[in-house]
Amino acid sequence: MKQEKRAACVIGWPAGHSRSPLIHNYWIKQYGLNAEYRREEVTAEKFAGFVAKLRDNGYVGANVTLPHKEAALALSRPDDRAEAVGAANTLWFEGNTLHSTNTDVEGFLANLDAEVPGWDRGLETAVVLGAGGAARAVVYALLQRDVERIHLVNRSFERAKTFRKRFGPRVQPARWNEMTGLLGGARLVVNATTLGMTGGHDLDINLRCDAAAIVTDLVYDPIETTLIKTARARGLRTADGIGMLLHQAVRGFELWFGVRPDVTAELRALVEADLRK
Ligand code: NAP
């Protein structure tokens, strides 16, 4: 008997920039599933109503992007990750209950595991730049891997201080002008700001790290950011933002369609080609 078609979507306002349809429809084809992944442009005012009718509209779940990630958390039963991060980006049904998680946590860790195996072994000090939603996912992920000390550097110091309240004493808030001093002792440097994105300001940073340091950038457009380029030129090990983007999609696909997909070189090339357009 032919299985009923399953559908998932990305909900955002706007949603046109999202690469999720490209990624999920690639996997749907690769695994030969009777399924479809769509794009849904929904305003903040209409979001709660859309989610209430998600199943009636034929969806087994969804990704959620800006500006709906906090609202998605409030409208669902979050797991520990979404709760800790304070934002949900993936929704799915179990029975009649709508559950949520934050797959940026898993995507960040899986990308580093794939690109720099053993990166977290004995990792004492990380420097995280940024204090937005992505930085919250990164800090939670690093704490899960028992990183002893996280210097959270942000332009707005007040925002950096909220991280200590949320995540505890292993997180040490720091001012933007303290960054260079902190980099010398860092074994992992993470850019979780929007700096370095195509069309925006670049990240101006003096990468005076130890030779064993690892550098990762969440920004994926451009494909190779100035930070990643500089780190590679200095011989440091790196993991880039596209890798995280692909790995964060794995869990949603598994939850909706029952297959845990692989992040392949072919998929990466497809997304890179789309970004170059
Ligand atoms: P967000 O909530 O808007 O936070 C932006 C952060 O950037 C804040 O810490 C902000 O500092 C900082 N910032 C912005 N302009 C700055 C400037 N001129 N100088 C210094 N700091 C500046 O954004 P987000 O959702 O956390 O996302 C951050 C980045 O991660 C984005 O590029 C996003 O695309 C990327 N991301 C990638 C993935 C992936 O899978 N690769 C997943 C999630 C996010 P203030 O607090 O001082 O304003």
Side-chain angles (χ1 to χ4, degrees):
M1 198 176 74
K2 198 166 185 255
Q3 234 194 350
E4 203 182 316
K5 188 169 196 164
R6 304 186 127 218
C9 62
V10 54
I11 313 168
W13 185 263
H17 65 284
S18 173
R19 262 79 191 185
S20 295
L22 187 66
I23 297 168
H24 290 289
N25 284 316
Y26 165 87
W27 280 328
I28 285 169
K29 199 170 160 202
Q30 198 191 31
Y31 294 100
L33 305 182
N34 184 22
E36 191 180 351
Y37 187 98
R38 305 187 199 115
R39 204 185 290 275
E40 295 279 8
E41 300 248 346
V42 179
T43 62
E45 296 73 45
K46 297 206 167 142
F47 182 71
F50 188 89
V51 169
K53 290 221 149 113
L54 197 61
R55 194 178 243 177
D56 293 346
N57 288 332
Y59 288 119
V60 294
N63 280 130
V64 177
T65 187
L66 295 176
H68 304 313
K69 291 185 184 181
E70 275 87 11
L73 187 77
L75 294 168
S76 58
R77 185 183 291 173
D79 68 2
D80 290 352
R81 290 173 177 181
E83 188 85 60
V85 173
N89 68 357
T90 301
L91 301 170
W92 77 100
F93 288 99
E94 270 177 36
N96 289 325
T97 307
L98 183 64
H99 290 260
S100 65
T101 187
N102 188 308
T103 62
D104 284 342
V105 176
E106 176 173 329
F108 175 77
L109 294 174
N111 186 35
L112 275 166
D113 288 341
E115 297 302 317
V116 193
W119 66 275
D120 56 345
R121 217 169 291 134
L123 202 150
E124 283 179 10
T125 308
V127 169
V128 176
L129 312 178
R136 292 203 301 273
V138 166
V139 167
Y140 179 72
L142 293 176
L143 292 174
Q144 293 295 301
R145 291 292 179 95
D146 297 326
V147 175
E148 285 178 26
R149 201 176 308 104
I150 301 168
H151 296 289
L152 198 286
V153 182
N154 196 49
R155 176 179 60 176
S156 148
F157 185 56
E158 286 309 307
R159 216 172 167 199
K161 283 201 287 193
T162 65
F163 274 60
R164 193 179 178 88
K165 248 192 214 141
R166 179 182 278 271
F167 294 110
R170 280 195 277 159
V171 182
Q172 301 182 1
R175 292 184 166 78
W176 197 249
N177 61 13
E178 294 176 87
M179 186 201 317
T180 308
L182 292 170
L183 288 175
R187 292 299 297 269
L188 176 72
V189 179
V190 184
N191 177 34
T193 73
T194 49
L195 291 171
M197 282 173 73
T198 299
H201 293 289
D202 214 344
L203 175 60
D204 185 14
I205 172 175
N206 178 359
L207 208 50
R208 51 179 295 280
C209 303
D210 188 270
I214 297 156
V215 175
T216 180
D217 199 337
L218 270 58
V219 172
Y220 57 83
D221 184 6
I223 295 158
E224 191 180 45
T225 60
T226 305
L227 175 65
I228 293 291
K229 218 180 270 177
T230 309
R232 285 177 181 158
R234 288 208 42 206
L236 304 178
R237 291 169 298 166
T238 61
D240 66 17
I242 294 198
M244 176 172 164
L245 181 72
L246 301 178
H247 282 286
Q248 69 76 34
V250 167
R251 180 76 180 130
F253 193 89
E254 182 182 31
L255 287 164
W256 307 320
F257 305 125
V259 178
R260 190 165 176 87
D262 291 325
V263 172
T264 59
E266 188 184 53
L267 173 61
R268 190 187 160 99
L270 189 74
V271 176
E272 282 193 8
D274 192 64
L275 282 165
R276 282 202 188 91
K277 271 184 198 163

